[in-house]
Amino acid sequence: MAIDFSFGPEVEEVRQRVRHFMQTEVKPAESDDLWEDGNRRKLVETIIMLRQKAQQSGVWLPHMPREWGGMGLGPTAVAAVSSEAARTRLGAFVLNCQAPDEGNMHTLLHFGTDEQKQRFLKPLCQGTARSCFAMTEPEVAGSDPTLIQTHAVADGDDYVINGHKWFISGANGAHFAILIARTNADADVPQERNSAFIVDSKSPGWTIVRDIETMSGGHNHCEIRIENLRVPKQNLLGRLGGGHELGQVRLGPARLAHCMRWLGQIELALEMMIDRASKRFSHGSLLSEKQGIQWLIADSGMELYAAKLMVLHAAYKIENKLPYKIEVSYCKHHVANTLWRVIDRAVQVHGALGYSTDTPLSKMLTQARWARFADGADEIHQMRIAQLLIQAYGESGSVKRATGDLPL
Ligand SMILES: Cc1cc2nc3c(=O)[nH]c(=O)nc-3n(C[C@H](O)[C@H](O)[C@H](O)COP(=O)(O)OP(=O)(O)OC[C@H]3O[C@@H](n4cnc5c(N)ncnc54)[C@H](O)[C@@H]3O)c2cc1C
């Protein structure tokens, strides 16, 4: 029997170490006032202090190889660590595995030249720089990158870039951006229209217009104007026309990394739901004794269980260099929707308290909403899943290959 769902002792030890670090260091430092206006300095100092402790405790940079100062963990171990970190608000940031830096590190490691790695990847790994990833534009559907209008034109030793981006997470304070721009509008294959560039954010022509106010406030998701921005040719990342493939390589594991963090949030919401239901009394019994509430708890447990299996299996496939596209789409759709439903149910069980800002649920709910369309909207994943299912059936007369290729 080759199926074994336990982690090896070394991964379990790391998971426990991260859990302990989150409980004893990060959680106690996360006072509510850290996020109040005027407390930015305190927030930054807290992060710096916690990051030093993370380095001393050997829980720094879980997803990167040891030669880059990381813990050298594979995707399944990173799943374990990321979901532990996500049980706190600052966890991923403290371990230096937060979006979008985590995805950018993978991208630079995979596609960067030695010079690009030294200049841009090294400071990211050391935690002395931050970055952003600039692809989405207000004028065209972000779901279809072949429509990107921001364009780069070769001029001497540079590319000159003009365009408009928005919802660029972490842009304020980022030292550089990985920017996707159109380099050949007439490419035979539409996916070869775009290329990726590393843009120094101090370059003239890179202007942050605003930090977009969202339904959960301003969180450094910025609108950016790009006007006659000159980028040296050596800052092309990957091959000319390789922007789409770079995005795919980046987004597969990055989507799964989101799912890993969401697992921690789902678990937390379910635990809060059970805790509240076990203490609140109404109409002669505790809420936890009412069948209607038990169904909410049971449905959440079933969905979380399926979400964990999906994440572990997709991570296993990536780790073992097996095809993982459809598994990541299943995961992204299922986990994002489970996140939304379980937090919503937890709000329901908390009643007015759940709607207040006295518990973390209100922030968790508004944050959860974007999970269903960012990094691939639900419908795009459904479209891809359906295409791959139809293809598998057409080629083999069976959907087995496109449902995890499991031995069932
Ligand atoms: C909090 C947050 C952070 C983000 N961070 C970044 C970032 O750092 N960098 C970056 O580049 N972008 C970022 N984004 C943008 C994000 O990637 C886009 O929102 C996403 O790709 C969808 O693009 P869009 O918003 O243009 O929606 P659209 O593409 O206009 O889609 C809108 C809706 O239309 C439907 N739809 C679209 N296409 C189809 C289709 N083919 N079939 C059926 N239905 C369809 C879906 O319901 C979809 O939700 C962020 C967004 C948010 C909210």
Side-chain angles (χ1 to χ4, degrees):
M1 189 69 174
I3 297 172
D4 180 357
F5 288 101
S6 59
F7 287 128
E10 57 308 324
V11 176
E12 187 52 26
E13 187 278 321
V14 167
R15 191 178 75 82
Q16 292 293 351
R17 192 147 35 103
V18 172
R19 173 167 279 226
H20 181 73
F21 183 79
M22 293 299 144
Q23 282 170 350
T24 56
E25 301 288 353
V26 181
K27 193 83 200 146
E30 285 187 332
S31 55
D32 279 346
D33 68 327
L34 272 188
W35 285 272
E36 281 170 11
D37 288 347
N39 269 358
R40 177 142 183 90
R41 196 186 170 83
K42 188 174 169 195
L43 177 65
V44 171
E45 284 170 0
T46 304
I47 291 171
I48 292 171
M49 179 270 291
L50 287 171
R51 281 185 153 200
Q52 280 166 354
K53 287 191 175 176
Q55 283 170 323
Q56 287 156 8
S57 306
V59 292
W60 178 252
L61 215 55
H63 56 292
M64 289 301 281
R66 290 195 184 280
E67 61 266 34
W68 288 95
M71 294 168 74
L73 303 178
T76 42
V78 170
V81 166
S82 297
S83 59
E84 291 296 342
R87 294 172 61 91
T88 59
R89 221 169 144 184
L90 289 175
F93 211 84
V94 168
L95 306 190
N96 197 12
C97 59
Q98 71 286 352
D101 291 317
E102 188 214 27
N104 285 350
M105 287 186 221
H106 281 305
T107 309
L108 286 163
L109 187 66
H110 196 94
F111 291 97
T113 61
D114 287 345
E115 195 246 321
Q116 288 171 342
K117 287 181 189 167
Q118 282 306 314
R119 205 168 142 210
F120 299 104
L121 177 58
K122 199 172 171 188
L124 276 192
C125 294
Q126 290 170 334
T128 52
R130 283 202 302 98
S131 63
C132 60
F133 184 77
M135 182 151 104
T136 307
E137 304 181 353
E139 293 82 6
V140 289
S143 301
D144 183 355
T146 65
L147 303 174
I148 282 175
Q149 292 182 349
T150 297
H151 53 279
V153 179
D155 182 33
D157 292 336
D158 298 334
Y159 281 94
V160 179
I161 306 182
N162 281 280
H164 189 196
K165 300 284 180 184
W166 83 336
F167 270 91
I168 308 311
S169 303
N172 252 322
H175 292 66
F176 67 91
I178 296 179
L179 169 93
I180 306 294
R182 199 181 64 211
T183 40
N184 180 5
D186 304 320
D188 290 340
V189 183
Q191 283 77 10
E192 303 232 318
R193 284 180 193 160
N194 301 326
S195 306
F197 298 89
I198 307 174
V199 175
D200 187 329
S201 55
K202 288 203 187 71
S203 311
W206 173 267
T207 310
I208 296 180
V209 179
R210 61 178 172 139
D211 176 354
I212 299 164
E213 187 72 11
T214 71
M215 62 168 75
S216 69
H219 296 288
N220 202 358
H221 305 300
C222 298
E223 179 181 350
I224 294 167
R225 281 268 171 215
I226 301 143
E227 285 162 315
N228 297 323
L229 173 85
R230 297 193 83 87
V231 176
K233 280 191 173 158
Q234 65 262 31
N235 282 22
L236 176 72
L237 181 58
R239 69 178 176 88
L240 194 65
H244 184 80
E245 100 201 0
L246 181 138
Q248 290 307 305
V249 169
R250 180 184 190 279
L251 277 175
R255 282 173 178 145
L256 198 62
H258 274 316
C259 293
M260 293 168 187
R261 290 186 283 266
W262 294 336
L263 285 183
Q265 293 274 295
I266 298 166
E267 202 168 73
L268 184 64
L270 178 53
E271 287 166 3
M272 289 179 71
M273 194 192 313
I274 294 171
D275 193 61
R276 182 70 176 171
S278 309
K279 291 175 180 154
R280 197 72 164 169
F281 188 87
S282 166
H283 289 96
S285 63
L286 291 168
L287 294 185
S288 58
E289 292 164 322
K290 318 270 182 206
Q291 195 175 41
I293 300 298
Q294 287 170 350
W295 286 354
L296 298 182
I297 292 171
D299 286 351
S300 303
M302 284 189 275
E303 289 166 28
L304 174 58
Y305 175 44
K308 286 185 178 186
L309 287 175
M310 282 185 179
V311 168
L312 277 177
H313 191 232
Y316 164 86
K317 290 208 124 187
I318 294 178
E319 193 153 320
N320 288 282
K321 310 213 171 348
L322 296 164
Y324 60 80
K325 227 172 170 180
I326 194 164
E327 286 77 10
V328 170
S329 278
Y330 281 130
C331 260
K332 167 69 177 52
H333 187 287
H334 178 75
V335 184
N337 281 274
T338 299
L339 178 74
W340 175 254
R341 283 193 296 264
V342 175
I343 298 173
D344 179 59
R345 289 179 194 134
V347 169
Q348 185 70 14
V349 171
H350 279 72
L353 176 63
Y355 193 64
S356 78
T357 55
D358 289 359
T359 80
L361 288 170
S362 59
K363 284 203 179 68
M364 286 163 70
L365 189 76
T366 44
Q367 279 294 310
R369 190 60 192 87
W370 62 257
R372 290 187 45 217
F373 59 85
D375 280 358
D378 282 356
E379 295 81 359
I380 302 295
H381 288 293
Q382 286 168 303
M383 178 175 80
R384 294 270 177 260
I385 289 168
Q387 286 168 344
L388 291 166
L389 281 165
I390 293 164
Q391 189 187 349
Y393 179 72
E395 287 171 6
S396 66
S398 160
V399 294
K400 180 176 177 297
R401 192 180 81 202
T403 47
D405 209 8
L406 293 160
L408 288 173

